[in-house]
Amino acid sequence: MLIKLYIMNLKELFTRVGFEALLPHLRVEPETAALYGYREAYDRLAAMQPNPDYQGEVRVEWSGDEQDEGRWIGVHHLAGDYWENDLAKKIVVADDVHLSIEEVAAKCLWEITFYGFSPREITQNVRSMCDEKPPANVYEVALERLEESIWRHQTPRRLRSKRKGYTLFDKAYFRKCFGESRMNRSKRKREYRQKQRSEFLEKSARRQRVIDELTAPGSSLPPGSLDFLYGVKQGVRYDFCGVDAARPLDYIRESMTRYLEIDRAKFDNAVIVLQQPASAVPLPVEEIERFEADMRRHWGYADMRFGWQPVPVGDEIRAVVLLNKMK
């Protein structure tokens, strides 16, 4: 197949195409309600320099069987590498791929952020997938005990792996062989109760981790102040970063107001916590107060809670936003 080469690397591509030109093409990709993440990644990449000693290619070509109606245009050799190396890679587009330069740039930005919107976030996400962390709260302890009990008492020995909680086959195959059709009423009821219990523990564990994080020592939010989160009907979290170190709160404000496309009417409560690296100079009080006033105007909820806390790692000011639907 003939291949055409753009005479530019990824850094030059992003330099030629501004972020605003990418928005129409990013919106057609999955999970694009939070466009601010792509903006943060784009601005970080714009501030970085490619590795001058690295040579490689980014290939943009059709994927899937030629007879398959579900074929798609994929970007290869981009996700999972160091961003400095990615920026040095030449863009290679297959001859039968007809995309504008903006569409190519949008697909490359989507691919390079597959595991996260910053090198630090990518490292954290990859480690969380590979490392098995010990339980961090009582709900995680209870969930681990439940999974171990199911593994020990309900999983046939020949289908167990060496690691508890896992089987050699996926759940669909397991149910096909030992599924509900072979379960009596008592076992089906037991499975239903276990499923309900597992979902409750998983949800409670996630909320407990958030509460522990935002009320850690040094936070302006005292212990117990966020316990109401256990009872919210629905909740969602967004993490905004002040990528522009000269004006971090203005940058975060723009991310919220311009690049977060959600229906705010679905929620009636907000918790907003500013996180600042402990090694940085604290933000002026008047800046924090102005930011809080702007957030009250933007979100418009009667019930809004604000906090501030130092964090031990990172080099950017962050704003954690929890949007909740109260019962």
Side-chain angles (χ1 to χ4, degrees), residues 41-57:
Y42 179 91
D43 288 341
R44 290 188 180 101
L45 289 162
M48 297 172 67
Q49 295 301 319
N51 181 354
D53 300 322
Y54 189 87
Q55 294 183 351
E57 292 180 347

mmCIF file of all heavy atoms in Angstrom, residues 41-57:
data_model
loop_
_atom_site.group_PDB
_atom_site.id
_atom_site.type_symbol
_atom_site.label_atom_id
_atom_site.label_comp_id
_atom_site.label_asym_id
_atom_site.label_seq_id
_atom_site.Cartn_x
_atom_site.Cartn_y
_atom_site.Cartn_z
ATOM 1 N N ALA A 41 -3.745 18.599 28.227
ATOM 2 C CA ALA A 41 -2.708 17.793 27.581
ATOM 3 C C ALA A 41 -2.069 18.558 26.424
ATOM 4 O O ALA A 41 -0.842 18.551 26.262
ATOM 5 C CB ALA A 41 -3.294 16.472 27.095
ATOM 6 N N TYR A 42 -2.902 19.205 25.610
ATOM 7 C CA TYR A 42 -2.383 19.965 24.470
ATOM 8 C C TYR A 42 -1.427 21.055 24.936
ATOM 9 O O TYR A 42 -0.341 21.246 24.357
ATOM 10 C CB TYR A 42 -3.552 20.574 23.688
ATOM 11 C CG TYR A 42 -3.132 21.409 22.498
ATOM 12 C CD1 TYR A 42 -2.997 20.847 21.236
ATOM 13 C CD2 TYR A 42 -2.873 22.773 22.645
ATOM 14 C CE1 TYR A 42 -2.603 21.611 20.145
ATOM 15 C CE2 TYR A 42 -2.472 23.546 21.566
ATOM 16 C CZ TYR A 42 -2.348 22.966 20.322
ATOM 17 O OH TYR A 42 -1.956 23.728 19.247
ATOM 18 N N ASP A 43 -1.802 21.787 25.990
ATOM 19 C CA ASP A 43 -0.944 22.873 26.470
ATOM 20 C C ASP A 43 0.344 22.336 27.093
ATOM 21 O O ASP A 43 1.406 22.972 26.995
ATOM 22 C CB ASP A 43 -1.708 23.729 27.481
ATOM 23 C CG ASP A 43 -2.789 24.574 26.820
ATOM 24 O OD1 ASP A 43 -2.702 24.778 25.594
ATOM 25 O OD2 ASP A 43 -3.712 25.022 27.524
ATOM 26 N N ARG A 44 0.282 21.197 27.737
ATOM 27 C CA ARG A 44 1.510 20.590 28.266
ATOM 28 C C ARG A 44 2.433 20.189 27.121
ATOM 29 O O ARG A 44 3.648 20.409 27.172
ATOM 30 C CB ARG A 44 1.173 19.359 29.119
ATOM 31 C CG ARG A 44 0.483 19.675 30.449
ATOM 32 C CD ARG A 44 0.371 18.437 31.312
ATOM 33 N NE ARG A 44 -0.281 18.728 32.584
ATOM 34 C CZ ARG A 44 -1.560 18.452 32.847
ATOM 35 N NH1 ARG A 44 -2.305 17.871 31.920
ATOM 36 N NH2 ARG A 44 -2.085 18.758 34.009
ATOM 37 N N LEU A 45 1.854 19.563 26.094
ATOM 38 C CA LEU A 45 2.654 19.148 24.942
ATOM 39 C C LEU A 45 3.260 20.360 24.226
ATOM 40 O O LEU A 45 4.394 20.307 23.743
ATOM 41 C CB LEU A 45 1.793 18.341 23.977
ATOM 42 C CG LEU A 45 1.406 16.937 24.466
ATOM 43 C CD1 LEU A 45 0.230 16.399 23.662
ATOM 44 C CD2 LEU A 45 2.592 15.988 24.365
ATOM 45 N N ALA A 46 2.488 21.452 24.157
ATOM 46 C CA ALA A 46 2.986 22.661 23.497
ATOM 47 C C ALA A 46 4.187 23.250 24.224
ATOM 48 O O ALA A 46 5.047 23.890 23.607
ATOM 49 C CB ALA A 46 1.870 23.699 23.400
ATOM 50 N N ALA A 47 4.260 23.012 25.537
ATOM 51 C CA ALA A 47 5.369 23.556 26.325
ATOM 52 C C ALA A 47 6.578 22.628 26.359
ATOM 53 O O ALA A 47 7.635 23.017 26.865
ATOM 54 C CB ALA A 47 4.898 23.828 27.755
ATOM 55 N N MET A 48 6.435 21.425 25.834
ATOM 56 C CA MET A 48 7.525 20.450 25.851
ATOM 57 C C MET A 48 8.294 20.477 24.540
ATOM 58 O O MET A 48 7.773 20.903 23.509
ATOM 59 C CB MET A 48 6.965 19.037 26.100
ATOM 60 C CG MET A 48 6.292 18.869 27.448
ATOM 61 S SD MET A 48 5.430 17.271 27.614
ATOM 62 C CE MET A 48 6.840 16.160 27.593
ATOM 63 N N GLN A 49 9.521 19.979 24.573
ATOM 64 C CA GLN A 49 10.350 19.865 23.381
ATOM 65 C C GLN A 49 10.559 18.385 23.051
ATOM 66 O O GLN A 49 10.711 17.553 23.950
ATOM 67 C CB GLN A 49 11.699 20.547 23.587
ATOM 68 C CG GLN A 49 11.609 22.046 23.768
ATOM 69 C CD GLN A 49 10.968 22.727 22.564
ATOM 70 O OE1 GLN A 49 11.240 22.377 21.411
ATOM 71 N NE2 GLN A 49 10.122 23.725 22.840
ATOM 72 N N PRO A 50 10.560 18.052 21.765
ATOM 73 C CA PRO A 50 10.771 16.643 21.392
ATOM 74 C C PRO A 50 12.189 16.187 21.706
ATOM 75 O O PRO A 50 13.121 17.004 21.743
ATOM 76 C CB PRO A 50 10.509 16.645 19.879
ATOM 77 C CG PRO A 50 10.724 18.050 19.451
ATOM 78 C CD PRO A 50 10.320 18.917 20.608
ATOM 79 N N ASN A 51 12.332 14.910 21.933
ATOM 80 C CA ASN A 51 13.647 14.319 22.171
ATOM 81 C C ASN A 51 14.459 14.371 20.877
ATOM 82 O O ASN A 51 14.122 13.702 19.905
ATOM 83 C CB ASN A 51 13.475 12.870 22.641
ATOM 84 C CG ASN A 51 14.796 12.200 22.942
ATOM 85 O OD1 ASN A 51 15.866 12.752 22.701
ATOM 86 N ND2 ASN A 51 14.722 10.986 23.466
ATOM 87 N N PRO A 52 15.536 15.160 20.824
ATOM 88 C CA PRO A 52 16.276 15.319 19.560
ATOM 89 C C PRO A 52 16.990 14.050 19.111
ATOM 90 O O PRO A 52 17.362 13.924 17.941
ATOM 91 C CB PRO A 52 17.281 16.435 19.881
ATOM 92 C CG PRO A 52 17.461 16.354 21.359
ATOM 93 C CD PRO A 52 16.142 15.925 21.921
ATOM 94 N N ASP A 53 17.185 13.095 20.021
ATOM 95 C CA ASP A 53 17.910 11.868 19.692
ATOM 96 C C ASP A 53 16.987 10.703 19.355
ATOM 97 O O ASP A 53 17.465 9.585 19.161
ATOM 98 C CB ASP A 53 18.812 11.474 20.873
ATOM 99 C CG ASP A 53 19.831 12.550 21.206
ATOM 100 O OD1 ASP A 53 20.352 13.165 20.254
ATOM 101 O OD2 ASP A 53 20.073 12.787 22.400
ATOM 102 N N TYR A 54 15.684 10.970 19.319
ATOM 103 C CA TYR A 54 14.736 9.876 19.087
ATOM 104 C C TYR A 54 14.212 9.923 17.658
ATOM 105 O O TYR A 54 13.918 10.995 17.121
ATOM 106 C CB TYR A 54 13.561 9.963 20.070
ATOM 107 C CG TYR A 54 12.655 8.759 20.027
ATOM 108 C CD1 TYR A 54 12.927 7.645 20.808
ATOM 109 C CD2 TYR A 54 11.540 8.734 19.196
ATOM 110 C CE1 TYR A 54 12.099 6.533 20.764
ATOM 111 C CE2 TYR A 54 10.719 7.623 19.143
ATOM 112 C CZ TYR A 54 11.009 6.527 19.924
ATOM 113 O OH TYR A 54 10.186 5.419 19.875
ATOM 114 N N GLN A 55 14.065 8.748 17.054
ATOM 115 C CA GLN A 55 13.485 8.630 15.717
ATOM 116 C C GLN A 55 12.389 7.580 15.753
ATOM 117 O O GLN A 55 12.556 6.509 16.331
ATOM 118 C CB GLN A 55 14.552 8.234 14.679
ATOM 119 C CG GLN A 55 15.613 9.284 14.455
ATOM 120 C CD GLN A 55 16.599 8.880 13.372
ATOM 121 O OE1 GLN A 55 16.593 7.748 12.907
ATOM 122 N NE2 GLN A 55 17.438 9.822 12.964
ATOM 123 N N GLY A 56 11.270 7.907 15.149
ATOM 124 C CA GLY A 56 10.151 6.972 15.120
ATOM 125 C C GLY A 56 9.043 7.512 14.251
ATOM 126 O O GLY A 56 9.138 8.609 13.682
ATOM 127 N N GLU A 57 7.981 6.720 14.122
ATOM 128 C CA GLU A 57 6.854 7.089 13.275
ATOM 129 C C GLU A 57 5.548 6.916 14.030
ATOM 130 O O GLU A 57 5.409 6.036 14.886
ATOM 131 C CB GLU A 57 6.801 6.218 12.012
ATOM 132 C CG GLU A 57 7.929 6.447 11.038
ATOM 133 C CD GLU A 57 7.804 5.558 9.812
ATOM 134 O OE1 GLU A 57 6.989 4.596 9.848
ATOM 135 O OE2 GLU A 57 8.513 5.817 8.825
#
